[in-house]
Coordinates of all heavy atoms in Angstrom, one line a residue:
M24 N 101.9 -45.7 9.8 CA 100.9 -46.4 9.0 C 99.5 -45.8 9.1 O 99.1 -45.4 10.2 CB 100.8 -47.9 9.7 CG 99.8 -48.8 9.0 SD 100.3 -49.3 7.4 CE 101.4 -50.7 7.8
I25 N 98.9 -45.6 7.9 CA 97.7 -44.9 7.9 C 96.6 -46.1 7.6 O 96.8 -46.8 6.7 CB 97.5 -43.9 6.7 CG1 98.6 -42.9 6.9 CG2 96.2 -43.3 6.7 CD1 98.8 -41.9 5.7
R26 N 95.6 -46.1 8.5 CA 94.6 -47.2 8.3 C 93.4 -46.5 7.5 O 92.8 -45.5 8.0 CB 94.1 -47.7 9.6 CG 93.0 -48.6 9.4 CD 92.8 -49.5 10.7 NE 93.9 -50.4 10.8 CZ 94.0 -51.3 11.7 NH1 93.1 -51.4 12.6 NH2 95.0 -52.1 11.7
I27 N 93.0 -47.1 6.4 CA 91.9 -46.7 5.7 C 90.9 -47.8 5.6 O 91.1 -48.9 5.2 CB 92.2 -46.3 4.2 CG1 93.3 -45.2 4.2 CG2 91.0 -45.9 3.4 CD1 93.8 -44.8 2.8
S28 N 89.7 -47.6 6.2 CA 88.6 -48.6 6.2 C 87.5 -48.1 5.3 O 87.1 -47.0 5.4 CB 88.1 -48.7 7.6 OG 89.1 -48.9 8.6
I29 N 87.0 -49.0 4.5 CA 85.9 -48.7 3.6 C 84.7 -49.5 4.0 O 84.9 -50.8 4.1 CB 86.4 -49.0 2.1 CG1 87.5 -48.0 1.9 CG2 85.3 -48.7 1.2 CD1 88.2 -48.3 0.6
C30 N 83.6 -48.9 4.3 CA 82.4 -49.6 4.6 C 82.0 -50.4 3.3 O 81.8 -49.9 2.2 CB 81.4 -48.7 5.0 SG 79.8 -49.5 5.3
V31 N 81.8 -51.7 3.6 CA 81.3 -52.6 2.5 C 79.9 -53.1 2.9 O 79.5 -54.2 2.5 CB 82.3 -53.7 2.2 CG1 83.4 -53.1 1.5 CG2 82.7 -54.4 3.4
G32 N 79.3 -52.4 3.8 CA 77.9 -52.8 4.2 C 76.9 -52.7 3.0 O 77.3 -52.0 2.0
S33 N 75.8 -53.2 3.1 CA 74.9 -53.2 1.8 C 74.6 -51.8 1.3 O 74.6 -51.6 0.0 CB 73.7 -54.0 2.1 OG 73.0 -53.6 3.3
A34 N 74.3 -50.9 2.1 CA 74.0 -49.5 1.6 C 75.2 -48.9 0.9 O 75.0 -48.3 -0.2 CB 73.5 -48.6 2.7
C35 N 76.3 -48.9 1.5 CA 77.5 -48.4 0.9 C 77.8 -49.2 -0.4 O 78.4 -48.7 -1.4 CB 78.7 -48.4 1.8 SG 78.4 -47.1 3.1
H36 N 77.6 -50.5 -0.3 CA 77.9 -51.3 -1.5 C 77.1 -50.8 -2.7 O 77.6 -50.6 -3.8 CB 77.6 -52.8 -1.2 CG 77.7 -53.7 -2.3 ND1 78.9 -54.1 -2.8 CD2 76.8 -54.3 -3.2 CE1 78.8 -54.9 -3.9 NE2 77.5 -55.0 -4.1
L37 N 75.8 -50.6 -2.5 CA 74.9 -50.1 -3.5 C 75.4 -48.7 -4.0 O 75.2 -48.3 -5.1 CB 73.4 -50.0 -3.1 CG 72.8 -51.4 -2.8 CD1 71.4 -51.2 -2.2 CD2 72.7 -52.1 -4.1
R38 N 76.0 -47.9 -3.2 CA 76.5 -46.7 -3.6 C 77.9 -46.6 -4.2 O 78.5 -45.5 -4.4 CB 76.4 -45.7 -2.4 CG 74.9 -45.3 -2.0 CD 74.9 -44.6 -0.6 NE 73.6 -44.1 -0.3 CZ 73.3 -42.9 -0.4 NH1 74.2 -41.9 -0.7 NH2 72.1 -42.5 -0.1
G39 N 78.5 -47.8 -4.4 CA 79.8 -47.8 -5.0 C 81.0 -48.1 -4.2 O 82.0 -47.7 -4.6
A40 N 80.8 -48.7 -3.1 CA 82.0 -49.0 -2.3 C 83.0 -49.9 -2.9 O 84.2 -49.6 -2.7 CB 81.5 -49.7 -0.9
H41 N 82.6 -50.7 -3.8 CA 83.6 -51.5 -4.5 C 84.5 -50.6 -5.4 O 85.7 -50.9 -5.5 CB 82.8 -52.5 -5.3 CG 83.7 -53.7 -5.6 ND1 84.2 -54.6 -4.7 CD2 84.3 -54.2 -6.8 CE1 84.9 -55.5 -5.2 NE2 85.0 -55.3 -6.5
G42 N 83.9 -49.7 -6.1 CA 84.7 -48.8 -6.9 C 85.6 -47.9 -6.1 O 86.7 -47.7 -6.5
V43 N 85.1 -47.5 -4.9 CA 86.0 -46.7 -4.0 C 87.2 -47.5 -3.6 O 88.3 -47.1 -3.6 CB 85.2 -46.2 -2.8 CG1 86.1 -45.6 -1.8 CG2 84.2 -45.2 -3.3
L44 N 86.9 -48.8 -3.2 CA 87.9 -49.7 -2.7 C 89.0 -49.9 -3.9 O 90.2 -49.8 -3.6 CB 87.3 -51.0 -2.3 CG 88.2 -52.1 -1.7 CD1 88.9 -51.7 -0.5 CD2 87.4 -53.4 -1.5
N45 N 88.5 -50.2 -5.0 CA 89.4 -50.5 -6.1 C 90.2 -49.2 -6.5 O 91.4 -49.3 -6.9 CB 88.6 -50.9 -7.4 CG 88.2 -52.3 -7.3 OD1 88.9 -53.1 -6.6 ND2 87.2 -52.7 -8.0
A46 N 89.7 -48.0 -6.4 CA 90.4 -46.8 -6.6 C 91.5 -46.6 -5.6 O 92.7 -46.2 -6.0 CB 89.5 -45.6 -6.5
F47 N 91.3 -46.9 -4.4 CA 92.3 -46.8 -3.4 C 93.4 -47.9 -3.7 O 94.6 -47.5 -3.6 CB 91.8 -47.0 -1.9 CG 91.3 -45.8 -1.3 CD1 89.9 -45.6 -1.0 CD2 92.2 -44.9 -0.9 CE1 89.5 -44.4 -0.5 CE2 91.8 -43.7 -0.2 CZ 90.5 -43.4 -0.1
I48 N 93.0 -49.1 -4.0 CA 94.0 -50.1 -4.3 C 94.9 -49.7 -5.5 O 96.1 -49.8 -5.4 CB 93.3 -51.5 -4.6 CG1 92.6 -52.0 -3.4 CG2 94.3 -52.4 -5.3 CD1 91.8 -53.2 -3.7
A49 N 94.3 -49.1 -6.5 CA 95.1 -48.7 -7.7 C 96.1 -47.5 -7.3 O 97.2 -47.6 -7.8 CB 94.1 -48.1 -8.8
L50 N 95.6 -46.6 -6.5 CA 96.5 -45.5 -6.1 C 97.7 -46.0 -5.2 O 98.8 -45.6 -5.3 CB 95.7 -44.4 -5.3 CG 94.8 -43.6 -6.3 CD1 93.9 -42.7 -5.5 CD2 95.7 -42.7 -7.2
I51 N 97.3 -46.9 -4.3 CA 98.4 -47.5 -3.4 C 99.4 -48.2 -4.3 O 100.6 -48.0 -4.0 CB 97.7 -48.4 -2.4 CG1 96.9 -47.6 -1.4 CG2 98.8 -49.3 -1.7 CD1 95.9 -48.5 -0.5
D52 N 98.9 -48.8 -5.2 CA 99.8 -49.6 -6.2 C 100.7 -48.5 -6.9 O 101.9 -48.6 -7.1 CB 99.0 -50.4 -7.1 CG 99.8 -51.5 -7.7 OD1 100.6 -52.1 -6.9 OD2 99.7 -51.8 -8.9
K53 N 100.0 -47.5 -7.5 CA 100.6 -46.6 -8.4 C 101.7 -45.8 -7.6 O 102.9 -45.6 -8.2 CB 99.6 -45.6 -8.9 CG 100.2 -44.5 -9.8 CD 99.0 -43.6 -10.3 CE 99.6 -42.5 -11.2 NZ 98.6 -41.6 -11.6
Y54 N 101.4 -45.4 -6.4 CA 102.4 -44.7 -5.6 C 103.3 -45.5 -4.7 O 104.1 -45.0 -3.9 CB 101.7 -43.5 -4.8 CG 101.1 -42.4 -5.7 CD1 99.8 -42.6 -6.1 CD2 101.9 -41.4 -6.0 CE1 99.3 -41.5 -6.9 CE2 101.4 -40.4 -6.8 CZ 100.1 -40.5 -7.3 OH 99.7 -39.4 -8.2
Q55 N 103.1 -46.8 -4.9 CA 104.0 -47.8 -4.1 C 104.0 -47.5 -2.6 O 105.1 -47.4 -2.0 CB 105.4 -47.7 -4.7 CG 105.5 -48.1 -6.1 CD 105.4 -49.6 -6.3 OE1 106.2 -50.4 -5.9 NE2 104.4 -50.1 -7.0
V56 N 102.9 -47.3 -2.0 CA 102.8 -47.0 -0.6 C 102.2 -48.2 0.2 O 101.6 -47.9 1.3 CB 102.1 -45.6 -0.3 CG1 102.9 -44.4 -0.8 CG2 100.7 -45.7 -1.0
Q57 N 102.4 -49.4 -0.3 CA 101.9 -50.5 0.4 C 102.2 -50.6 1.8 O 101.5 -51.0 2.7 CB 102.2 -51.7 -0.4 CG 101.6 -51.9 -1.7 CD 102.3 -51.3 -2.9 OE1 103.2 -50.5 -2.6 NE2 102.0 -51.7 -4.0
G58 N 103.5 -50.2 2.1 CA 104.0 -50.3 3.4 C 103.5 -49.2 4.4 O 103.7 -49.3 5.5
A59 N 102.8 -48.2 3.8 CA 102.4 -47.0 4.6 C 100.9 -47.1 4.9 O 100.4 -46.3 5.7 CB 102.9 -45.8 4.0
V60 N 100.2 -47.8 4.0 CA 98.7 -47.7 4.2 C 98.2 -49.2 4.5 O 98.6 -50.2 3.9 CB 98.1 -47.3 2.9 CG1 96.6 -47.4 2.9 CG2 98.7 -45.9 2.5
D61 N 97.2 -49.2 5.4 CA 96.6 -50.4 5.8 C 95.1 -50.3 5.4 O 94.4 -49.5 5.9 CB 96.7 -50.7 7.3 CG 96.1 -51.9 7.7 OD1 96.0 -52.8 6.9 OD2 96.0 -52.1 9.0
L62 N 94.8 -51.0 4.3 CA 93.5 -50.8 3.7 C 92.6 -52.0 4.0 O 93.0 -53.2 4.0 CB 93.6 -50.9 2.2 CG 92.4 -50.5 1.3 CD1 92.0 -49.1 1.6 CD2 92.7 -50.7 -0.2
E63 N 91.4 -51.8 4.5 CA 90.6 -52.8 4.9 C 89.0 -52.5 4.7 O 88.7 -51.3 4.6 CB 90.8 -53.1 6.5 CG 90.3 -52.0 7.4 CD 90.5 -52.2 8.9 OE1 91.3 -53.1 9.2 OE2 89.8 -51.5 9.6
G64 N 88.3 -53.6 4.6 CA 86.8 -53.3 4.5 C 86.3 -53.4 5.9 O 86.8 -54.0 6.9
N65 N 85.1 -52.7 6.0 CA 84.5 -52.5 7.4 C 83.0 -52.7 7.2 O 82.5 -52.5 6.2 CB 84.7 -51.1 7.8 CG 85.2 -51.1 9.3 OD1 85.1 -52.0 10.1 ND2 85.9 -50.0 9.6
F66 N 82.3 -53.2 8.3 CA 80.9 -53.3 8.3 C 80.3 -52.0 8.5 O 81.0 -51.0 8.7 CB 80.5 -54.4 9.2 CG 81.0 -55.7 8.9 CD1 81.9 -56.4 9.6 CD2 80.5 -56.3 7.7 CE1 82.4 -57.7 9.2 CE2 81.0 -57.6 7.2 CZ 81.9 -58.3 8.1
C67 N 78.9 -52.0 8.5 CA 78.3 -50.7 8.5 C 78.7 -49.8 9.7 O 78.8 -50.2 10.8 CB 76.7 -51.1 8.7 SG 75.7 -49.6 8.8
Q68 N 78.9 -48.6 9.3 CA 79.3 -47.6 10.2 C 78.2 -46.7 10.8 O 78.5 -45.8 11.6 CB 80.3 -46.6 9.5 CG 81.5 -47.3 8.9 CD 82.5 -47.9 10.0 OE1 83.0 -47.2 10.8 NE2 82.6 -49.3 10.0
G69 N 77.0 -47.0 10.4 CA 75.8 -46.3 10.9 C 75.4 -45.0 10.2 O 74.7 -44.2 10.7
Y70 N 76.0 -44.8 9.0 CA 75.7 -43.5 8.2 C 75.3 -43.9 6.9 O 75.7 -43.3 5.8 CB 77.1 -42.7 8.1 CG 77.6 -42.2 9.3 CD1 78.6 -42.9 10.0 CD2 77.2 -41.0 9.9 CE1 79.3 -42.5 11.2 CE2 77.8 -40.6 11.1 CZ 78.8 -41.3 11.7 OH 79.4 -40.9 12.8
C71 N 74.5 -44.9 6.8 CA 74.0 -45.6 5.6 C 73.5 -44.6 4.5 O 73.7 -44.8 3.3 CB 73.0 -46.6 5.8 SG 73.6 -47.9 7.0
T72 N 72.8 -43.5 4.9 CA 72.3 -42.6 3.9 C 73.4 -41.6 3.4 O 73.1 -40.9 2.5 CB 71.1 -41.8 4.6 OG1 71.6 -41.1 5.6 CG2 69.9 -42.6 4.9
E73 N 74.5 -41.8 3.9 CA 75.6 -40.8 3.5 C 76.8 -41.6 2.9 O 77.9 -41.1 2.9 CB 76.1 -40.0 4.7 CG 75.0 -39.1 5.3 CD 75.5 -38.5 6.6 OE1 76.5 -37.7 6.6 OE2 74.9 -38.8 7.7
G74 N 76.5 -42.8 2.4 CA 77.6 -43.6 1.9 C 78.1 -43.0 0.4 O 77.5 -42.2 -0.1
V75 N 79.2 -43.4 0.1 CA 80.0 -44.4 0.7 C 80.8 -43.8 1.9 O 81.3 -42.7 1.9 CB 81.1 -44.9 -0.3 CG1 82.1 -45.9 0.3 CG2 80.4 -45.6 -1.5
V76 N 80.9 -44.6 3.0 CA 81.5 -44.1 4.2 C 82.9 -44.7 4.3 O 83.0 -46.0 4.2 CB 80.7 -44.5 5.4 CG1 81.3 -44.0 6.7 CG2 79.2 -43.8 5.3
I77 N 83.9 -43.9 4.5 CA 85.3 -44.5 4.8 C 85.8 -43.8 6.1 O 85.3 -42.9 6.6 CB 86.2 -44.3 3.6 CG1 86.6 -42.8 3.5 CG2 85.6 -44.7 2.3 CD1 87.8 -42.6 2.5
K78 N 86.8 -44.4 6.6 CA 87.4 -43.9 7.8 C 88.9 -43.9 7.5 O 89.5 -44.9 7.1 CB 87.1 -44.9 8.9 CG 87.2 -44.4 10.3 CD 86.6 -45.4 11.2 CE 87.1 -45.1 12.7 NZ 86.8 -46.2 13.6
I79 N 89.5 -42.8 7.7 CA 91.0 -42.7 7.6 C 91.4 -42.3 9.0 O 91.2 -41.2 9.5 CB 91.3 -41.6 6.5 CG1 90.8 -42.0 5.2 CG2 92.9 -41.5 6.4 CD1 91.1 -41.1 4.0
G80 N 92.3 -43.2 9.5 CA 92.6 -43.0 10.9 C 91.4 -43.0 11.7 O 90.6 -43.9 11.6
N81 N 91.1 -42.0 12.5 CA 90.0 -41.9 13.3 C 88.8 -41.0 12.6 O 87.8 -40.8 13.3 CB 90.2 -41.3 14.7 CG 91.0 -42.3 15.5 OD1 90.8 -43.5 15.4 ND2 91.9 -41.9 16.3
E82 N 89.1 -40.5 11.5 CA 88.2 -39.5 10.9 C 87.2 -40.2 10.0 O 87.6 -41.1 9.0 CB 89.0 -38.6 10.1 CG 88.2 -37.5 9.4 CD 89.1 -36.5 8.5 OE1 90.3 -36.8 8.3 OE2 88.5 -35.7 8.0
I83 N 85.9 -40.1 10.2 CA 84.9 -40.7 9.3 C 84.6 -39.7 8.2 O 84.4 -38.5 8.4 CB 83.7 -41.0 10.2 CG1 84.0 -42.0 11.2 CG2 82.4 -41.4 9.2 CD1 83.0 -43.0 11.4
I84 N 84.6 -40.2 6.9 CA 84.4 -39.3 5.8 C 83.2 -39.9 5.1 O 83.2 -41.1 4.8 CB 85.6 -39.2 5.0 CG1 86.8 -38.6 5.8 CG2 85.3 -38.3 3.7 CD1 88.1 -38.8 5.0
T85 N 82.2 -39.1 4.9 CA 80.9 -39.6 4.2 C 80.9 -39.1 2.7 O 81.6 -38.2 2.3 CB 79.7 -39.2 5.0 OG1 79.7 -37.7 5.1 CG2 79.7 -39.7 6.4
N86 N 79.9 -39.7 2.0 CA 79.7 -39.3 0.6 C 80.9 -39.4 -0.3 O 81.2 -38.5 -1.1 CB 79.1 -37.9 0.6 CG 77.7 -37.8 1.2 OD1 76.8 -38.5 0.8 ND2 77.5 -37.0 2.2
V87 N 81.6 -40.4 -0.1 CA 82.8 -40.6 -0.9 C 82.3 -41.3 -2.1 O 81.6 -42.3 -2.1 CB 83.9 -41.5 -0.1 CG1 85.0 -41.8 -1.0 CG2 84.3 -40.7 1.2
S88 N 82.8 -40.8 -3.3 CA 82.6 -41.4 -4.6 C 84.0 -41.8 -5.1 O 85.0 -41.3 -4.7 CB 81.9 -40.5 -5.5 OG 82.6 -39.4 -5.7
Q89 N 83.9 -42.6 -6.1 CA 85.2 -43.0 -6.8 C 86.0 -41.8 -7.2 O 87.2 -41.7 -7.2 CB 84.8 -43.8 -8.0 CG 85.9 -44.8 -8.4 CD 85.4 -45.8 -9.4 OE1 84.2 -46.2 -9.4 NE2 86.3 -46.2 -10.3
E90 N 85.2 -40.8 -7.7 CA 85.8 -39.5 -8.3 C 86.6 -38.8 -7.2 O 87.4 -37.9 -7.5 CB 84.8 -38.6 -8.9 CG 84.2 -39.2 -10.1 CD 83.2 -40.4 -9.9 OE1 82.6 -40.5 -8.8 OE2 83.2 -41.2 -10.9
K91 N 86.2 -39.0 -5.9 CA 86.9 -38.2 -4.8 C 88.0 -38.9 -4.3 O 88.7 -38.3 -3.4 CB 85.8 -37.9 -3.7 CG 84.7 -37.0 -4.1 CD 83.7 -36.8 -2.9 CE 82.6 -35.9 -3.3 NZ 81.5 -35.9 -2.2
V92 N 88.3 -40.1 -4.7 CA 89.3 -40.9 -4.0 C 90.6 -40.3 -4.2 O 91.5 -40.2 -3.2 CB 89.3 -42.3 -4.4 CG1 90.5 -43.2 -4.0 CG2 88.0 -43.0 -3.9
Y93 N 91.0 -39.8 -5.4 CA 92.3 -39.3 -5.6 C 92.6 -38.1 -4.6 O 93.6 -38.0 -4.1 CB 92.5 -38.8 -7.0 CG 93.9 -38.2 -7.3 CD1 95.0 -39.0 -7.3 CD2 94.1 -36.8 -7.2 CE1 96.3 -38.5 -7.3 CE2 95.4 -36.3 -7.3 CZ 96.5 -37.1 -7.3 OH 97.8 -36.6 -7.3
D94 N 91.6 -37.2 -4.5 CA 91.8 -36.0 -3.7 C 92.1 -36.4 -2.2 O 92.9 -35.8 -1.5 CB 90.6 -35.0 -3.8 CG 90.6 -34.2 -5.0 OD1 91.6 -34.3 -5.9 OD2 89.7 -33.6 -5.3
L95 N 91.2 -37.3 -1.7 CA 91.4 -37.8 -0.4 C 92.8 -38.5 -0.2 O 93.4 -38.3 0.8 CB 90.3 -38.9 0.0 CG 88.9 -38.2 0.2 CD1 87.9 -39.3 0.3 CD2 88.9 -37.4 1.6
F96 N 93.2 -39.3 -1.1 CA 94.4 -40.0 -1.1 C 95.6 -39.0 -1.1 O 96.5 -39.1 -0.3 CB 94.5 -40.9 -2.3 CG 95.7 -41.8 -2.3 CD1 95.8 -43.0 -1.7 CD2 96.8 -41.4 -3.1 CE1 96.9 -43.8 -1.7 CE2 97.9 -42.2 -3.1 CZ 98.0 -43.4 -2.3
A97 N 95.5 -38.1 -1.9 CA 96.5 -37.0 -2.0 C 96.7 -36.3 -0.8 O 97.8 -36.1 -0.2 CB 96.3 -36.0 -3.2
E98 N 95.5 -35.9 -0.2 CA 95.6 -35.1 1.0 C 96.0 -35.9 2.3 O 96.9 -35.5 3.0 CB 94.2 -34.5 1.3 CG 94.1 -33.6 2.5 CD 92.7 -33.2 2.9 OE1 91.9 -33.3 2.0 OE2 92.5 -33.0 4.1
K99 N 95.4 -37.1 2.4 CA 95.6 -37.9 3.6 C 96.8 -38.7 3.5 O 97.5 -39.1 4.6 CB 94.4 -38.7 4.0 CG 93.1 -38.0 4.0 CD 93.0 -37.0 5.1 CE 91.7 -36.3 5.2 NZ 91.5 -35.4 6.2
V100 N 97.1 -39.2 2.4 CA 98.2 -40.3 2.3 C 99.5 -39.6 1.8 O 100.6 -39.7 2.3 CB 97.9 -41.4 1.4 CG1 99.0 -42.4 1.3 CG2 96.7 -42.1 2.0
L101 N 99.4 -38.8 0.7 CA 100.6 -38.3 0.1 C 100.8 -36.9 0.8 O 101.9 -36.4 0.6 CB 100.4 -38.0 -1.3 CG 100.1 -39.3 -2.2 CD1 99.9 -38.9 -3.6 CD2 101.2 -40.3 -2.0
G102 N 99.9 -36.4 1.6 CA 100.2 -35.2 2.4 C 100.2 -33.9 1.5 O 100.8 -32.9 1.8
R103 N 99.4 -33.9 0.5 CA 99.3 -32.7 -0.3 C 97.9 -32.5 -0.7 O 97.2 -33.5 -0.8 CB 100.3 -32.7 -1.5 CG 100.2 -33.9 -2.3 CD 101.3 -33.9 -3.3 NE 101.8 -35.2 -3.7 CZ 101.8 -35.7 -4.9 NH1 101.5 -35.0 -5.9 NH2 102.2 -36.9 -5.1
D104 N 97.5 -31.3 -1.2 CA 96.2 -31.2 -1.7 C 96.0 -31.8 -3.1 O 97.0 -32.3 -3.7 CB 95.7 -29.7 -1.7 CG 96.5 -28.9 -2.6 OD1 97.0 -29.4 -3.6 OD2 96.6 -27.7 -2.3
G105 N 94.8 -31.8 -3.6 CA 94.5 -32.5 -4.8 C 94.8 -31.9 -6.1 O 94.4 -32.3 -7.1
T106 N 95.6 -30.8 -6.0 CA 95.9 -30.0 -7.3 C 97.1 -30.6 -8.0 O 97.9 -31.2 -7.4 CB 96.0 -28.6 -7.0 OG1 97.1 -28.4 -5.9 CG2 94.8 -27.9 -6.5
Ligands
FES28 S1 76.3 -49.6 5.0 FE1 77.9 -48.2 5.1 S2 77.4 -46.9 6.8 FE2 75.8 -48.4 6.7

């Protein structure tokens, strides 16, 4: 099980956390990996100027935009690079 946490604190919210969350939901649905991914919202992670901040497992990833979600998903969840 891979845990993906998306910061939904106010700074990340303003930077598009909702779009990032929706992009992950769409990909989880598309690839039918509901049983392998635990997606959750998280409160402020303390990197507000570098939002959107997400956490995959124990790894904190900053400056995530909706456009970057597919590459992250492919690398971390599907286990391949974004090409
Ligand atoms: S609001 Fe997301 S890190 Fe602070």
Side-chain angles (χ1 to χ4, degrees):
M24 181 69 83
I25 302 170
R26 173 162 296 181
I27 301 177
S28 309
I29 296 167
C30 176
V31 291
S33 49
C35 287
H36 176 74
L37 289 175
R38 288 169 173 254
H41 202 69
V43 169
L44 182 63
N45 282 336
F47 272 110
I48 290 171
L50 287 168
I51 288 167
D52 200 45
K53 179 176 178 184
Y54 288 92
Q55 298 284 301
V56 290
Q57 290 87 346
V60 180
D61 186 14
L62 188 66
E63 64 180 19
N65 230 334
F66 293 112
C67 180
Q68 302 292 300
Y70 300 92
C71 304
T72 57
E73 298 170 62
V75 175
V76 177
I77 72 170
K78 206 167 155 192
I79 299 181
N81 290 323
E82 183 184 3
I83 296 220
I84 302 166
T85 57
N86 293 304
V87 176
S88 61
Q89 207 173 326
E90 292 71 30
K91 290 183 183 170
V92 169
Y93 177 77
D94 286 350
L95 286 168
F96 184 85
E98 183 190 336
K99 308 291 185 189
V100 178
L101 302 177
R103 52 186 149 128
D104 65 25
T106 55

